[in-house]
PDB file of all heavy atoms in Angstrom:
ATOM      1  N   TYR A 280     104.880  65.212  40.691  1.00  0.00           N
ATOM      2  CA  TYR A 280     103.785  65.260  41.667  1.00  0.00           C
ATOM      3  C   TYR A 280     103.104  63.890  41.769  1.00  0.00           C
ATOM      4  O   TYR A 280     102.898  63.376  42.861  1.00  0.00           O
ATOM      5  CB  TYR A 280     102.778  66.346  41.292  1.00  0.00           C
ATOM      6  CG  TYR A 280     101.661  66.466  42.292  1.00  0.00           C
ATOM      7  CD1 TYR A 280     101.824  67.231  43.438  1.00  0.00           C
ATOM      8  CD2 TYR A 280     100.456  65.795  42.112  1.00  0.00           C
ATOM      9  CE1 TYR A 280     100.814  67.331  44.379  1.00  0.00           C
ATOM     10  CE2 TYR A 280      99.442  65.889  43.055  1.00  0.00           C
ATOM     11  CZ  TYR A 280      99.628  66.654  44.173  1.00  0.00           C
ATOM     12  OH  TYR A 280      98.629  66.744  45.112  1.00  0.00           O
ATOM     13  N   ARG A 281     102.756  63.318  40.637  1.00  0.00           N
ATOM     14  CA  ARG A 281     102.077  62.015  40.636  1.00  0.00           C
ATOM     15  C   ARG A 281     102.953  60.897  41.178  1.00  0.00           C
ATOM     16  O   ARG A 281     102.449  59.903  41.693  1.00  0.00           O
ATOM     17  CB  ARG A 281     101.599  61.658  39.232  1.00  0.00           C
ATOM     18  CG  ARG A 281     100.305  62.347  38.898  1.00  0.00           C
ATOM     19  CD  ARG A 281      99.781  61.884  37.586  1.00  0.00           C
ATOM     20  NE  ARG A 281      99.801  63.073  36.728  1.00  0.00           N
ATOM     21  CZ  ARG A 281      99.898  63.085  35.437  1.00  0.00           C
ATOM     22  NH1 ARG A 281      99.969  61.959  34.777  1.00  0.00           N
ATOM     23  NH2 ARG A 281      99.910  64.208  34.769  1.00  0.00           N
ATOM     24  N   GLN A 282     104.272  61.071  41.068  1.00  0.00           N
ATOM     25  CA  GLN A 282     105.209  60.073  41.581  1.00  0.00           C
ATOM     26  C   GLN A 282     105.477  60.251  43.075  1.00  0.00           C
ATOM     27  O   GLN A 282     106.199  59.464  43.674  1.00  0.00           O
ATOM     28  CB  GLN A 282     106.533  60.159  40.823  1.00  0.00           C
ATOM     29  CG  GLN A 282     106.422  59.794  39.372  1.00  0.00           C
ATOM     30  CD  GLN A 282     107.717  60.071  38.612  1.00  0.00           C
ATOM     31  OE1 GLN A 282     108.734  60.438  39.196  1.00  0.00           O
ATOM     32  NE2 GLN A 282     107.666  59.915  37.309  1.00  0.00           N
ATOM     33  N   GLY A 283     104.905  61.306  43.658  1.00  0.00           N
ATOM     34  CA  GLY A 283     105.112  61.549  45.081  1.00  0.00           C
ATOM     35  C   GLY A 283     106.406  62.277  45.393  1.00  0.00           C
ATOM     36  O   GLY A 283     106.800  62.374  46.552  1.00  0.00           O
ATOM     37  N   GLU A 284     107.049  62.800  44.374  1.00  0.00           N
ATOM     38  CA  GLU A 284     108.290  63.566  44.536  1.00  0.00           C
ATOM     39  C   GLU A 284     107.919  65.044  44.709  1.00  0.00           C
ATOM     40  O   GLU A 284     108.159  65.877  43.830  1.00  0.00           O
ATOM     41  CB  GLU A 284     109.200  63.366  43.314  1.00  0.00           C
ATOM     42  CG  GLU A 284     109.649  61.949  43.113  1.00  0.00           C
ATOM     43  CD  GLU A 284     110.666  61.495  44.150  1.00  0.00           C
ATOM     44  OE1 GLU A 284     111.284  62.349  44.820  1.00  0.00           O
ATOM     45  OE2 GLU A 284     110.830  60.271  44.298  1.00  0.00           O
ATOM     46  N   TYR A 285     107.346  65.369  45.860  1.00  0.00           N
ATOM     47  CA  TYR A 285     106.738  66.689  46.059  1.00  0.00           C
ATOM     48  C   TYR A 285     107.753  67.823  46.129  1.00  0.00           C
ATOM     49  O   TYR A 285     107.484  68.923  45.658  1.00  0.00           O
ATOM     50  CB  TYR A 285     105.849  66.678  47.295  1.00  0.00           C
ATOM     51  CG  TYR A 285     104.762  65.646  47.192  1.00  0.00           C
ATOM     52  CD1 TYR A 285     104.703  64.569  48.079  1.00  0.00           C
ATOM     53  CD2 TYR A 285     103.810  65.709  46.178  1.00  0.00           C
ATOM     54  CE1 TYR A 285     103.716  63.610  47.968  1.00  0.00           C
ATOM     55  CE2 TYR A 285     102.826  64.748  46.055  1.00  0.00           C
ATOM     56  CZ  TYR A 285     102.784  63.700  46.957  1.00  0.00           C
ATOM     57  OH  TYR A 285     101.810  62.748  46.824  1.00  0.00           O
ATOM     58  N   ARG A 286     108.908  67.578  46.680  1.00  0.00           N
ATOM     59  CA  ARG A 286     109.933  68.641  46.741  1.00  0.00           C
ATOM     60  C   ARG A 286     110.435  69.000  45.338  1.00  0.00           C
ATOM     61  O   ARG A 286     110.590  70.171  45.005  1.00  0.00           O
ATOM     62  CB  ARG A 286     111.101  68.230  47.632  1.00  0.00           C
ATOM     63  CG  ARG A 286     110.733  68.187  49.094  1.00  0.00           C
ATOM     64  CD  ARG A 286     111.933  67.874  49.980  1.00  0.00           C
ATOM     65  NE  ARG A 286     111.528  67.500  51.310  1.00  0.00           N
ATOM     66  CZ  ARG A 286     111.162  68.346  52.262  1.00  0.00           C
ATOM     67  NH1 ARG A 286     111.153  69.625  52.021  1.00  0.00           N
ATOM     68  NH2 ARG A 286     110.813  67.907  53.452  1.00  0.00           N
ATOM     69  N   ILE A 287     110.682  67.987  44.527  1.00  0.00           N
ATOM     70  CA  ILE A 287     111.120  68.235  43.156  1.00  0.00           C
ATOM     71  C   ILE A 287     109.998  68.890  42.363  1.00  0.00           C
ATOM     72  O   ILE A 287     110.224  69.835  41.609  1.00  0.00           O
ATOM     73  CB  ILE A 287     111.591  66.934  42.478  1.00  0.00           C
ATOM     74  CG1 ILE A 287     112.797  66.360  43.216  1.00  0.00           C
ATOM     75  CG2 ILE A 287     111.930  67.183  41.005  1.00  0.00           C
ATOM     76  CD1 ILE A 287     113.193  64.967  42.761  1.00  0.00           C
ATOM     77  N   ALA A 288     108.779  68.401  42.545  1.00  0.00           N
ATOM     78  CA  ALA A 288     107.628  68.981  41.852  1.00  0.00           C
ATOM     79  C   ALA A 288     107.470  70.453  42.221  1.00  0.00           C
ATOM     80  O   ALA A 288     107.228  71.296  41.350  1.00  0.00           O
ATOM     81  CB  ALA A 288     106.359  68.207  42.197  1.00  0.00           C
ATOM     82  N   GLU A 289     107.644  70.764  43.506  1.00  0.00           N
ATOM     83  CA  GLU A 289     107.522  72.148  43.948  1.00  0.00           C
ATOM     84  C   GLU A 289     108.548  73.028  43.232  1.00  0.00           C
ATOM     85  O   GLU A 289     108.216  74.116  42.756  1.00  0.00           O
ATOM     86  CB  GLU A 289     107.702  72.236  45.459  1.00  0.00           C
ATOM     87  CG  GLU A 289     107.491  73.640  46.004  1.00  0.00           C
ATOM     88  CD  GLU A 289     107.595  73.704  47.519  1.00  0.00           C
ATOM     89  OE1 GLU A 289     108.185  72.788  48.146  1.00  0.00           O
ATOM     90  OE2 GLU A 289     107.097  74.677  48.075  1.00  0.00           O
ATOM     91  N   GLN A 290     109.762  72.554  43.115  1.00  0.00           N
ATOM     92  CA  GLN A 290     110.808  73.319  42.420  1.00  0.00           C
ATOM     93  C   GLN A 290     110.437  73.545  40.954  1.00  0.00           C
ATOM     94  O   GLN A 290     110.625  74.643  40.421  1.00  0.00           O
ATOM     95  CB  GLN A 290     112.151  72.589  42.507  1.00  0.00           C
ATOM     96  CG  GLN A 290     112.711  72.539  43.893  1.00  0.00           C
ATOM     97  CD  GLN A 290     113.915  71.613  43.994  1.00  0.00           C
ATOM     98  OE1 GLN A 290     114.273  70.921  43.047  1.00  0.00           O
ATOM     99  NE2 GLN A 290     114.536  71.592  45.166  1.00  0.00           N
ATOM    100  N   GLU A 291     109.903  72.524  40.320  1.00  0.00           N
ATOM    101  CA  GLU A 291     109.526  72.643  38.905  1.00  0.00           C
ATOM    102  C   GLU A 291     108.354  73.603  38.711  1.00  0.00           C
ATOM    103  O   GLU A 291     108.345  74.392  37.768  1.00  0.00           O
ATOM    104  CB  GLU A 291     109.208  71.266  38.319  1.00  0.00           C
ATOM    105  CG  GLU A 291     110.399  70.337  38.261  1.00  0.00           C
ATOM    106  CD  GLU A 291     111.549  70.884  37.426  1.00  0.00           C
ATOM    107  OE1 GLU A 291     111.310  71.393  36.313  1.00  0.00           O
ATOM    108  OE2 GLU A 291     112.708  70.807  37.895  1.00  0.00           O
ATOM    109  N   TYR A 292     107.369  73.536  39.597  1.00  0.00           N
ATOM    110  CA  TYR A 292     106.239  74.472  39.497  1.00  0.00           C
ATOM    111  C   TYR A 292     106.690  75.904  39.767  1.00  0.00           C
ATOM    112  O   TYR A 292     106.195  76.847  39.146  1.00  0.00           O
ATOM    113  CB  TYR A 292     105.103  74.072  40.442  1.00  0.00           C
ATOM    114  CG  TYR A 292     104.352  72.843  39.980  1.00  0.00           C
ATOM    115  CD1 TYR A 292     104.293  71.706  40.787  1.00  0.00           C
ATOM    116  CD2 TYR A 292     103.706  72.807  38.756  1.00  0.00           C
ATOM    117  CE1 TYR A 292     103.616  70.568  40.374  1.00  0.00           C
ATOM    118  CE2 TYR A 292     103.026  71.673  38.334  1.00  0.00           C
ATOM    119  CZ  TYR A 292     102.984  70.555  39.140  1.00  0.00           C
ATOM    120  OH  TYR A 292     102.302  69.442  38.715  1.00  0.00           O
ATOM    121  N   GLN A 293     107.638  76.091  40.671  1.00  0.00           N
ATOM    122  CA  GLN A 293     108.173  77.426  40.923  1.00  0.00           C
ATOM    123  C   GLN A 293     108.849  77.979  39.670  1.00  0.00           C
ATOM    124  O   GLN A 293     108.677  79.151  39.331  1.00  0.00           O
ATOM    125  CB  GLN A 293     109.171  77.415  42.087  1.00  0.00           C
ATOM    126  CG  GLN A 293     108.513  77.273  43.427  1.00  0.00           C
ATOM    127  CD  GLN A 293     109.529  77.081  44.558  1.00  0.00           C
ATOM    128  OE1 GLN A 293     110.691  76.756  44.330  1.00  0.00           O
ATOM    129  NE2 GLN A 293     109.069  77.277  45.778  1.00  0.00           N
ATOM    130  N   LYS A 294     109.608  77.141  38.980  1.00  0.00           N
ATOM    131  CA  LYS A 294     110.249  77.567  37.729  1.00  0.00           C
ATOM    132  C   LYS A 294     109.205  77.982  36.706  1.00  0.00           C
ATOM    133  O   LYS A 294     109.359  78.993  36.022  1.00  0.00           O
ATOM    134  CB  LYS A 294     111.099  76.439  37.147  1.00  0.00           C
ATOM    135  CG  LYS A 294     112.379  76.158  37.887  1.00  0.00           C
ATOM    136  CD  LYS A 294     113.113  75.012  37.202  1.00  0.00           C
ATOM    137  CE  LYS A 294     114.191  74.433  38.055  1.00  0.00           C
ATOM    138  NZ  LYS A 294     114.812  73.242  37.430  1.00  0.00           N
ATOM    139  N   LEU A 295     108.146  77.185  36.592  1.00  0.00           N
ATOM    140  CA  LEU A 295     107.094  77.493  35.627  1.00  0.00           C
ATOM    141  C   LEU A 295     106.450  78.847  35.935  1.00  0.00           C
ATOM    142  O   LEU A 295     106.274  79.670  35.046  1.00  0.00           O
ATOM    143  CB  LEU A 295     106.031  76.392  35.628  1.00  0.00           C
ATOM    144  CG  LEU A 295     105.039  76.458  34.481  1.00  0.00           C
ATOM    145  CD1 LEU A 295     104.593  75.061  34.105  1.00  0.00           C
ATOM    146  CD2 LEU A 295     103.838  77.297  34.813  1.00  0.00           C
ATOM    147  N   VAL A 296     106.135  79.072  37.203  1.00  0.00           N
ATOM    148  CA  VAL A 296     105.499  80.326  37.615  1.00  0.00           C
ATOM    149  C   VAL A 296     106.413  81.515  37.319  1.00  0.00           C
ATOM    150  O   VAL A 296     105.953  82.554  36.839  1.00  0.00           O
ATOM    151  CB  VAL A 296     105.113  80.271  39.111  1.00  0.00           C
ATOM    152  CG1 VAL A 296     104.781  81.629  39.655  1.00  0.00           C
ATOM    153  CG2 VAL A 296     103.950  79.316  39.320  1.00  0.00           C
ATOM    154  N   GLN A 297     107.692  81.362  37.586  1.00  0.00           N
ATOM    155  CA  GLN A 297     108.637  82.465  37.386  1.00  0.00           C
ATOM    156  C   GLN A 297     108.953  82.695  35.909  1.00  0.00           C
ATOM    157  O   GLN A 297     109.101  83.831  35.475  1.00  0.00           O
ATOM    158  CB  GLN A 297     109.929  82.198  38.158  1.00  0.00           C
ATOM    159  CG  GLN A 297     109.726  82.239  39.651  1.00  0.00           C
ATOM    160  CD  GLN A 297     110.930  81.727  40.428  1.00  0.00           C
ATOM    161  OE1 GLN A 297     111.897  81.236  39.852  1.00  0.00           O
ATOM    162  NE2 GLN A 297     110.856  81.822  41.739  1.00  0.00           N
ATOM    163  N   THR A 298     109.046  81.633  35.148  1.00  0.00           N
ATOM    164  CA  THR A 298     109.453  81.740  33.753  1.00  0.00           C
ATOM    165  C   THR A 298     108.298  82.106  32.825  1.00  0.00           C
ATOM    166  O   THR A 298     108.482  82.850  31.869  1.00  0.00           O
ATOM    167  CB  THR A 298     110.085  80.412  33.280  1.00  0.00           C
ATOM    168  OG1 THR A 298     111.145  80.073  34.163  1.00  0.00           O
ATOM    169  CG2 THR A 298     110.626  80.526  31.875  1.00  0.00           C
ATOM    170  N   PHE A 299     107.133  81.584  33.105  1.00  0.00           N
ATOM    171  CA  PHE A 299     105.987  81.767  32.216  1.00  0.00           C
ATOM    172  C   PHE A 299     104.852  82.480  32.935  1.00  0.00           C
ATOM    173  O   PHE A 299     103.731  81.968  33.016  1.00  0.00           O
ATOM    174  CB  PHE A 299     105.516  80.418  31.678  1.00  0.00           C
ATOM    175  CG  PHE A 299     106.578  79.661  30.945  1.00  0.00           C
ATOM    176  CD1 PHE A 299     107.226  78.596  31.536  1.00  0.00           C
ATOM    177  CD2 PHE A 299     106.956  80.037  29.663  1.00  0.00           C
ATOM    178  CE1 PHE A 299     108.217  77.888  30.879  1.00  0.00           C
ATOM    179  CE2 PHE A 299     107.951  79.345  28.988  1.00  0.00           C
ATOM    180  CZ  PHE A 299     108.581  78.268  29.596  1.00  0.00           C
ATOM    181  N   GLU A 300     105.133  83.672  33.469  1.00  0.00           N
ATOM    182  CA  GLU A 300     104.170  84.422  34.281  1.00  0.00           C
ATOM    183  C   GLU A 300     102.807  84.588  33.623  1.00  0.00           C
ATOM    184  O   GLU A 300     101.799  84.625  34.298  1.00  0.00           O
ATOM    185  CB  GLU A 300     104.704  85.822  34.578  1.00  0.00           C
ATOM    186  CG  GLU A 300     105.972  85.868  35.348  1.00  0.00           C
ATOM    187  CD  GLU A 300     106.484  87.285  35.509  1.00  0.00           C
ATOM    188  OE1 GLU A 300     105.997  88.199  34.818  1.00  0.00           O
ATOM    189  OE2 GLU A 300     107.377  87.466  36.336  1.00  0.00           O
ATOM    190  N   ARG A 301     102.800  84.709  32.336  1.00  0.00           N
ATOM    191  CA  ARG A 301     101.549  84.989  31.622  1.00  0.00           C
ATOM    192  C   ARG A 301     100.881  83.738  31.042  1.00  0.00           C
ATOM    193  O   ARG A 301      99.894  83.830  30.344  1.00  0.00           O
ATOM    194  CB  ARG A 301     101.794  86.007  30.518  1.00  0.00           C
ATOM    195  CG  ARG A 301     102.257  87.335  31.069  1.00  0.00           C
ATOM    196  CD  ARG A 301     102.359  88.368  29.967  1.00  0.00           C
ATOM    197  NE  ARG A 301     102.883  89.601  30.496  1.00  0.00           N
ATOM    198  CZ  ARG A 301     102.141  90.602  30.916  1.00  0.00           C
ATOM    199  NH1 ARG A 301     100.835  90.518  30.878  1.00  0.00           N
ATOM    200  NH2 ARG A 301     102.704  91.708  31.372  1.00  0.00           N
ATOM    201  N   SER A 302     101.427  82.592  31.372  1.00  0.00           N
ATOM    202  CA  SER A 302     100.865  81.347  30.864  1.00  0.00           C
ATOM    203  C   SER A 302      99.511  81.062  31.513  1.00  0.00           C
ATOM    204  O   SER A 302      99.281  81.373  32.685  1.00  0.00           O
ATOM    205  CB  SER A 302     101.819  80.191  31.168  1.00  0.00           C
ATOM    206  OG  SER A 302     101.204  78.948  30.904  1.00  0.00           O
ATOM    207  N   SER A 303      98.654  80.421  30.757  1.00  0.00           N
ATOM    208  CA  SER A 303      97.356  80.022  31.294  1.00  0.00           C
ATOM    209  C   SER A 303      97.496  78.915  32.335  1.00  0.00           C
ATOM    210  O   SER A 303      96.558  78.624  33.067  1.00  0.00           O
ATOM    211  CB  SER A 303      96.447  79.553  30.156  1.00  0.00           C
ATOM    212  OG  SER A 303      97.025  78.439  29.509  1.00  0.00           O
TER     213      SER A 303
END
Side-chain angles (χ1 to χ4, degrees):
Y280 182 84
R281 279 186 244 154
Q282 295 172 6
E284 297 288 342
Y285 302 116
R286 290 184 195 281
I287 298 171
E289 184 177 20
Q290 292 170 354
E291 295 301 315
Y292 287 120
Q293 286 173 343
K294 287 180 195 175
L295 192 148
V296 166
Q297 293 169 354
T298 305
F299 302 103
E300 299 176 347
R301 297 186 184 266
S302 170
S303 61

